[in-house]
Amino acid sequence: MPKGKGPQGKRITLKVAKNAVRVAFNGRRRLDLSKMGIATFPKCILELADVEELDLSRNMLRKIPNIIEKFQNLMWLDLHSNQLDELPAAIGTLKNLTYLNLCNNKLTTKGLPEELTLLRNLRTLNLGLNCLETIPTTLGTLRELIELGLFDNSLTLIPKSVKKLPKLERLNVKRNPLPEFAKEDEPIDTVKRIESLYLVEKKDLCNSCLAMCQGERDELHKLEDMTPGPSNTPSFPSLTTPNSTAMDNQEEWRIKEENP
């Protein structure tokens, strides 16, 4: 492998970049360099820094340099499915951004710069499929956010400032170890259990306690009386079962039927 760490990736020339400019359905110019095998941010695209949309998704980028600040017209930036573990502070200078996709990278909480909160026009922010353990409470300053993706991270808490964003319509926090998504506890046993049992003689009970105990005892006797008695079915001592000899005891046969 040539000098330097990590994959070298494909080299992008200015000619290749110019041919990758498309006009999106909304009339914006999009520089689409997705799925190009790029491992290093191509400096040649600074010649096209006036585009409104930039797609560098599904590459092998490990770092976005501070020269990203040259793209002041950017409204749409897609960096998903790379190998980024941090963002440059210069990301906060892209004040026109309304869409930022950082899904499926290696971003950690430390890798999110404070300047991210300067993107006050941001409406969609996707941070799903990263390595985030916490979310900065300062994300609550992004008051234009409509959609926020935080799924598939290691989050145990979503700040109230984020939950209460005034325009937030979609908040995806699936597959995080959040308490509200913990598995339900085992069903509560509603059967009353006796922890202590005290035995006393009748002579030691007061009249009211004795009457109560006798009443409960009578109720139990009533339940016993309601238990079905032996069947009145005629007895056939000589009855044989398939592949067996005759039963000598009809009562044993009855029990066998009830307990196969």
Side-chain angles (χ1 to χ4, degrees), residues 91-243:
I91 197 79
T93 67
L94 305 179
K95 301 296 179 63
N96 291 315
L97 269 187
T98 61
Y99 175 95
L100 179 57
N101 190 354
L102 298 164
C103 175
N104 194 23
N105 278 284
K106 299 179 180 180
L107 292 171
T108 62
T109 304
K110 290 180 63 176
L112 299 180
E114 293 182 9
E115 290 79 3
L116 190 63
T117 61
L118 299 177
L119 303 178
R120 300 300 172 85
N121 290 311
L122 207 57
R123 289 169 173 75
T124 299
L125 175 60
N126 192 347
L127 290 168
L129 281 166
N130 277 288
C131 306
L132 303 175
E133 295 183 351
T134 59
I135 289 295
T137 58
T138 50
L139 282 187
T141 61
L142 301 178
R143 302 182 68 80
E144 295 298 318
L145 268 185
I146 296 174
E147 183 173 5
L148 177 59
L150 299 172
F151 54 91
D152 291 290
N153 279 287
S154 301
L155 303 174
T156 57
L157 178 68
I158 305 298
K160 289 183 179 180
S161 60
V162 172
K163 289 182 178 180
K164 294 183 177 181
L165 282 166
K167 297 185 179 180
L168 193 63
E169 296 178 2
R170 292 179 293 277
L171 175 60
N172 189 344
V173 294
K174 293 180 179 179
R175 294 176 295 278
N176 278 286
L178 294 165
E180 54 261 48
F181 291 102
K183 291 183 179 180
E184 293 184 1
D185 295 331
E186 293 295 323
I188 298 175
D189 188 355
T190 57
V191 178
K192 293 182 179 180
R193 306 293 178 181
I194 297 176
E195 297 181 358
S196 301
L197 178 64
Y198 300 95
L199 299 177
V200 296
E201 294 185 13
K202 289 173 61 175
K203 63 182 179 64
D204 296 322
L205 292 174
C206 64
N207 291 335
S208 60
C209 290
L210 180 61
M212 181 178 67
C213 291
Q214 288 176 335
E216 292 181 354
R217 183 189 61 187
D218 293 341
E219 290 294 325
L220 288 174
H221 287 328
K222 289 180 181 178
L223 291 174
E224 290 175 357
D225 294 340
M226 295 172 63
T227 304
S231 173
N232 294 325
T233 305
S235 175
F236 300 97
S238 61
L239 185 65
T240 60
T241 60
N243 302 320

Side-chain angles (χ1 to χ4, degrees), residues 66-78:
N66 277 315
I67 55 175
I68 192 70
E69 65 185 1
K70 300 294 184 181
F71 291 79
Q72 285 299 304
N73 291 337
L74 275 188
M75 302 177 69
W76 191 95
L77 178 58
D78 195 343

Side-chain angles (χ1 to χ4, degrees), residues 50-66:
D50 58 344
V51 295
E52 291 86 15
E53 300 186 357
L54 176 59
D55 190 348
L56 287 168
S57 66
R58 291 168 284 187
N59 282 296
M60 299 180 291
L61 293 170
R62 295 177 179 274
K63 183 179 180 181
I64 300 297
N66 277 315

